[in-house]
Structures are given as structure tokens and as C-alpha cells.
Amino acid sequence: MTDPAFVTKDYLIDDLKELGVKGTVSKYKNSFLPSRIIHELYQDEEFKSLSTLFIASYPNSPGKLLKQIIEETTDEEVLARLAVHPRTDREMMLKLSENESAKVRQNLAANRQITPNVSDKIARDSNLAVKAVLAENPSIVSRIQVLLAKDPESFIKTTLALRKETTPEAVDLLRFDEDFLVKSAVITLLNNSDKYLLSLADSDRLIDQFLLLQKELLTESVLESLTLSSHPEVRTEAIRKKSLNDEELVGLANDSEIEIRKIIAQQHNLPEFVQDIICKDCEDIKLILAKNFPSPNYALKLAKESLEIQLALTENTEVDSKTIEYMCKHSRTAILEAIALRNDLTDSQLNIIINERKSKDAIFALAINERYFDNISEEMTVKLSKGRSATLRAYAALSKNINDESVSRLLKDAATLVKEHLIKNPMVENHELEQLLSDKNPRIVSFAQEEIERRKSQEAEKPEVITGVKKFVNNLIDKVRGK
């Protein structure tokens, strides 16, 4: 650090040329430069503009010199810096508060040492930006906050409401302001007492209740009041947010408003006595339950309803396996096709769709969904292998109940996928696969060759099982050797 005792006016000018005002202030801000040198710097006419800006920015400049500068200069940047200077006193602030430059007055409004009298003057400024900066200043006293809370402009009141600390007197005025923006800021963003929030909920004023519902956390007492609102849209949203007890669930499940009943039908873990009410309601309400969280007992009841409700159940991953199996047995083909697109089907359900219901449309959907099932009955395997659809013939080619006739037929199939599936089928003998080694499709030849070699390799790795005469002779030799 440069010793202030050795700093001269010329030294400072050299620094200002090289470092600029900001750099020079940074260099000396923790030093106390001699007042004589600061005055000499100000008197230098050649660098007057640069020197004055430095003096207005340097925190340890003499106060008397700052007053002189305020009287003598009209430079906006210099006055703006003096407006926030730590040595600017009340008299200087009052002078600056009358400056025609909004930038100067804004800086003054931001000064944390601003006095109540100057604050009062700024609070009545015609420029909104100036007043808004004052509203954000953490140093303004309660009287000024109250004055700003009565400002006709919602922007000023909202700015005041959103500051970190607002006095109770000002908050009380803001809380009962009728301006929407002010209400919005106060209700949704401030930490308000439960008593105040409850008074808004009880007021039954749509705007107040609507703003309340924008808050993430509301107490049960506030939510309960909102559920009794005369405005359906408020009730609907409050019910969505509230943890409902059994009595409330029953009451709302019987509500005259269909939108309310729809919300109840969407609830998770609904007691069965509430689901019973829903299942006696109109089609739209039952459909919502079917799409959401029906219990096994009531899912089964809904499975006997309309085609649309059954379809909703098949698309609902929350529906239990027992209900799906019931629909596999009893639903129409259109529902079976939808069920076939589920990814959680059990072998029992697949057996019903394929071997009991024998639905080619549903089997086609299973094939498209790549949900294969090898325990297809011989009857269905033959039926599918003779079909016109290559997709269904390929499905049959994987069956472990495939007979020789079907294998022979599928070996000659024109579809590549059919032969590929046939090669994967462990029930097809090697000598049958060897017929594909002369296939016109190189891919099928390669695939068949790999499978035959894989099987032979597995066979070679199996331990030899000795039976019959050979086993008898080996046992006899072991006895002779005394083993």
C-alpha cells in the first residue's frame, strides 16, 4: 500500500490517468489522504472533471469540499456519487433532493444514511422510480413507510410490501389495500398470521380467496373455511389442497356440484364406503374413479360397467391383477385388445386371452407389443400357423406345443420373421433346422447355422450318461477291483 504521507497531487493525477477513477478509489479507499492534497487536486483546472469525480467517489474526502462541489458543479455523475457519499450531511441531502436529475434523486433515495426529513421529501417525489428505490431502502423509518403505504401508485406499495422488513403499521395498511397487485403481494408473498388469512378466507370475497389459494402452505382451518366458499372455483381448489377426513369425503362425494364429486373420485386411498357412493353416481364420475385409484373390490364392480369404463380400467396401471383377469375372461374383443397392450400381464391372463378366448385380434396386439407366450395350445398353434397374418404365424412359431405338421408348414413360410422365430423354438429338431441352410435368405441361413452349432456345442458339454449293458459291465469291473 502507498504511504499517504508521500502522495502528492501529481501522484494522484498519474494514478487517475493510469487506473481511472474506480481503480484509484479502490487503491486509496482504506487510506486517509491528506486534506491539503485533495483540495490541491480539486484546484487543478487541467484535470478538473476527472479530479472532481474522484473526490465525489473517494469515501474520505473532506465534508466541506463536498459541500463546495455541490454548490459549484452541475455534473450529473458527480452529484449522483455525492448522493450516496458517506460524508454527505442532511443539508447536502436536502440540496440534492431538489436536483432535477432523477438519477441523483434515485441515488439519494438509496442512501442508507438518509434522514427522515429528506425521506419525507423523496417519498413525495413525482418520479415513480425514485420513490420505489426509497421504498426498498432498509433505513427508512416507520413514518415514511406509512406514507409510502398510502401512495396512490400500486407499484410503490407493492415494492414496499416486498422489502425484507416492513413495520407493522405499514403492513396493516397494505393488508387492507383494495389494489389487486398490492393484495397479491401481501397475501401470497408475505408471512401473514393465521388470524389474518382466516379473516380473508371467511370474507367470501372471490379475489381474496383466489389469492389465498396461490399460497403453497395453508393451515387446515383456512382450507376448511375455503371449502365452504360460495364460489365453486374456490371450493374446488381448496378441496384439492385439503387433507379430507372420512366425514368430509362422504359429504363431498354427495355434493350437488359435479366438479366437486370429480375431485373426490380422483383421490388416492379412498375408503371403500366412499367408492361405493361413487360407483352409484353418474357415468362421468365412475369413469374418473376407473382412471385413478379404485380398490380391487370396486375395480371389479366397475369391470361390469360400460365399454368406456372397462377401457379406462385396462389403461390404468393401478388396477389389480384379479380385475384384469376377470376382464380377460368376460370382456368384449375390443377390451381384450386393449388389455393385450399392458406390460404386466401374467401367464394366467395370457393363457385366457390366447387359449380360452382364442382372440386373434388380441393375439395380434400381443405380438405387436412383443409380449410372447410359448404355452400356446396345439389347437391354437395350428390355427395361427395357417392364418393369413405373418405376425400371427410368427407368434405360433414360438409355441412349445407346435406339431410336426406346423413346423413343416412354417419352414416354407415366405416371411423372414416366421423363420427367425422358428429357429428360436427349442422344440424344433436340428434336422428340421437344417432344411433352412438352403434358404434363399442369407440371414436365415446364417441364423439357422448359428443355432445348430450352439445346440451341438451345448450337447458336447453335457456329461456322458452311462446306461444299459455298458453300465452293467462297468459295475461288474468295479466289484472285481474291490471298489
Side-chain angles (χ1 to χ4, degrees), residues 217-277:
L217 298 175
L218 291 171
T219 62
E220 285 299 304
S221 59
V222 172
L223 282 171
E224 185 174 356
S225 176
L226 291 173
T227 61
L228 301 174
S229 171
S230 64
H231 308 289
E233 57 269 53
V234 171
R235 290 187 67 211
T236 300
E237 191 57 32
I239 289 165
R240 289 187 197 279
K241 285 176 170 279
K242 194 176 186 303
S243 297
L244 302 168
N245 60 39
D246 289 352
E247 186 178 344
E248 288 171 323
L249 286 170
V250 170
L252 295 169
N254 286 296
D255 198 273
S256 59
E257 289 285 340
I258 190 168
E259 292 304 318
I260 301 294
R261 305 202 305 277
K262 284 181 179 179
I263 294 170
I264 301 305
Q266 293 170 7
Q267 300 284 317
H268 205 325
N269 295 327
L270 273 176
E272 291 208 338
F273 54 82
V274 179
Q275 293 190 49
D276 187 66
I277 297 170

Side-chain angles (χ1 to χ4, degrees), residues 284-346:
D284 286 350
I285 302 300
K286 288 186 281 191
L287 183 59
I288 289 172
L289 179 62
K291 289 179 176 179
N292 287 278
F293 308 102
S295 67
N297 287 340
Y298 283 90
L300 201 55
K301 284 181 181 292
L302 292 169
K304 300 168 186 177
E305 295 282 346
S306 69
L307 196 66
E308 189 177 4
I309 289 176
Q310 289 180 39
L311 188 60
L313 289 171
T314 66
E315 294 172 349
N316 185 349
T317 56
E318 299 289 330
V319 172
D320 64 292
S321 182
K322 184 179 177 182
T323 300
I324 297 299
E325 189 150 324
Y326 173 86
M327 289 195 293
C328 285
K329 289 180 179 179
H330 303 287
S331 297
R332 290 161 58 179
T333 302
I335 299 300
L336 278 183
E337 288 180 63
I339 292 172
L341 297 176
R342 290 179 66 100
N343 294 318
D344 58 352
L345 294 177
T346 65

Side-chain angles (χ1 to χ4, degrees), residues 183-229:
K183 274 180 177 289
S184 179
V186 171
I187 295 173
T188 62
L189 300 175
L190 294 190
N191 289 324
N192 293 293
S193 69
D194 192 49
K195 182 179 179 181
Y196 169 68
L197 297 179
L198 190 57
S199 71
L200 294 176
D202 290 342
S203 70
D204 209 34
R205 288 193 298 270
L206 177 60
I207 186 64
D208 289 356
Q209 292 181 334
F210 173 78
L211 289 171
L212 265 181
L213 287 168
Q214 308 315 302
K215 292 181 74 69
E216 286 189 17
L217 298 175
L218 291 171
T219 62
E220 285 299 304
S221 59
V222 172
L223 282 171
E224 185 174 356
S225 176
L226 291 173
T227 61
L228 301 174
S229 171

Side-chain angles (χ1 to χ4, degrees), residues 315-467:
E315 294 172 349
N316 185 349
T317 56
E318 299 289 330
V319 172
D320 64 292
S321 182
K322 184 179 177 182
T323 300
I324 297 299
E325 189 150 324
Y326 173 86
M327 289 195 293
C328 285
K329 289 180 179 179
H330 303 287
S331 297
R332 290 161 58 179
T333 302
I335 299 300
L336 278 183
E337 288 180 63
I339 292 172
L341 297 176
R342 290 179 66 100
N343 294 318
D344 58 352
L345 294 177
T346 65
D347 284 352
S348 174
Q349 291 160 358
L350 289 168
N351 182 65
I352 295 169
I353 293 171
I354 298 168
N355 296 327
E356 293 183 21
R357 298 295 300 275
K358 302 175 183 178
S359 169
K360 286 187 177 182
D361 291 334
I363 297 169
F364 187 86
L366 288 170
I368 295 300
N369 199 32
E370 296 186 349
R371 184 64 174 91
Y372 296 109
F373 179 66
D374 64 359
N375 197 20
I376 306 171
S377 69
E378 184 176 351
E379 177 195 351
M380 277 305 294
T381 303
V382 171
K383 189 174 182 180
L384 296 174
S385 70
K386 291 179 178 179
R388 296 177 62 183
S389 166
T391 301
L392 293 180
R393 297 198 305 275
Y395 204 84
L398 291 171
S399 172
K400 67 182 182 182
N401 297 312
I402 194 167
N403 59 27
D404 293 341
E405 180 189 347
S406 296
V407 172
S408 179
R409 182 183 307 107
L410 297 178
L411 283 169
K412 302 179 184 71
D413 203 290
T416 300
L417 183 62
V418 173
K419 293 175 183 175
E420 286 180 350
H421 280 196
L422 200 63
I423 293 168
K424 293 177 186 177
N425 192 333
M427 305 309 295
V428 178
E429 300 286 346
N430 280 10
H431 71 273
E432 293 171 317
L433 291 182
E434 286 170 357
Q435 295 178 44
L436 296 175
L437 297 178
S438 58
D439 196 90
K440 293 178 182 179
N441 187 334
R443 174 183 169 86
I444 294 300
V445 173
S446 174
F447 196 13
Q449 184 65 52
E450 286 176 10
E451 178 61 16
I452 291 168
E453 289 175 2
R454 187 190 68 80
R455 291 183 181 187
K456 287 180 178 179
S457 175
Q458 278 188 338
E459 196 65 33
E461 291 173 4
K462 289 181 181 178
E464 183 182 10
V465 180
I466 302 171
T467 59

Side-chain angles (χ1 to χ4, degrees), residues 107-203:
N107 277 18
L108 183 62
N111 192 326
R112 296 200 176 194
Q113 299 180 77
I114 192 168
T115 64
N117 285 347
V118 176
S119 296
D120 189 287
K121 192 173 180 63
I122 294 292
R124 303 172 196 276
D125 200 287
S126 60
N127 188 294
L128 284 182
V130 173
K131 289 194 288 185
V133 171
L134 181 69
E136 292 177 327
N137 190 327
S139 302
I140 57 173
V141 297
S142 180
R143 176 173 65 82
I144 304 303
Q145 290 189 38
V146 167
L147 184 61
L148 291 170
K150 295 176 180 178
D151 195 278
E153 295 292 339
S154 59
F155 175 58
I156 302 303
K157 292 181 284 191
T158 304
T159 303
L160 180 68
L162 297 180
R163 56 183 276 137
K164 287 185 177 179
E165 292 183 9
T166 308
T167 61
E169 296 82 3
V171 170
D172 282 344
L173 286 170
L174 294 169
R175 278 177 177 158
F176 296 100
D177 198 289
E178 290 303 314
D179 187 285
F180 175 78
L181 289 176
V182 179
K183 274 180 177 289
S184 179
V186 171
I187 295 173
T188 62
L189 300 175
L190 294 190
N191 289 324
N192 293 293
S193 69
D194 192 49
K195 182 179 179 181
Y196 169 68
L197 297 179
L198 190 57
S199 71
L200 294 176
D202 290 342
S203 70

